[in-house]
Amino acid sequence: MENANGENDGALGNARAFISKAASIAGRDPSEVTLVAVSKMREPAEIVPLLEQGQRVFGENRVQEAAAKWPQLKAAYSGVELHLIGQLQSNKAEDAATLFDCIHSVDRLSLIKALGKAFGKAGRNPPCFLQVNIGEEEQKGGCAIDDIDALLASAETHGVNIVGLMCLPPADVEPAPYFALLGELAHRAGLSQLSMGMSADYESAVQLGATHIRIGTALFGPRK
Ligand SMILES: *Cc1c(COP(=O)(O)O)cnc(C)c1O
């Protein structure tokens, strides 16, 4: 059966099967891997088929877009978990704190301070990831590798619950060494969670310890 995108409804099943296979190759339990379905730029009509198939964890990269789409979907389907995977401006921290159940893109002190305040006000303390600029690319979000320890200490001070590290490796090069490096950095920092791997490379990420993979295109088809 085809969904509104012309994609096969089996895409979710296929992704889950690939995750299981990659996990077993690495001797991991597939249940350790959370599939975050990246629904940015997708209409509710494209998202509903995944909800109907039981998918409950979704990723969005813009606060405003998520605020427009998700309250209704959340009301219609119980147990939805919404993850913010895109850059967050500090002045949107309050909106993000009420809307999202996990934030993958914490990457600087000003944002940590704003989120700490916003979570306090909202009476929430959701798990967050520290985003690392793993390829040390000028145009990319994420903190410098050398700043990880200081930012983790600040997060603790400001009551932001960092549970792991997140990265977007450089495009068009083999991502595995970057995934391995993120794993090593998390291990050194005593963090157990790793948000890494997208449509093109999630099997490699799972083999290298990803606990959260963020998949859009492979589930919904190409973005317009
Ligand atoms: C868009 C996006 C993804 C999903 O990318 P696909 O290639 O469509 O799977 C994952 N992570 C982040 C941070 C994104 O912005």
Side-chain angles (χ1 to χ4, degrees), residues 36-42 59-61 84-87 104-105 131 166-168 195 197-202 213-223:
V36 182
V38 177
S39 51
K40 64 185 183 192
M41 299 169 73
R42 311 292 179 178
E60 290 281 344
N61 69 336
L84 180 64
I85 60 168
Q87 282 203 2
H104 292 234
S105 48
Q131 183 177 349
M166 178 271 215
C167 78
L168 278 155
S195 169
M198 309 179 12
S199 290
D201 55 22
Y202 67 89
I213 52 174
R214 311 175 309 265
I215 306 184
T217 312
L219 296 178
F220 292 100
R223 278 180 294 275

Side-chain angles (χ1 to χ4, degrees), residues 43-61:
E43 300 295 332
E46 300 172 270
I47 298 170
V48 163
L50 263 69
L51 286 161
E52 288 290 335
Q53 290 178 74
Q55 177 66 26
R56 285 297 178 271
V57 184
F58 289 86
E60 290 281 344
N61 69 336

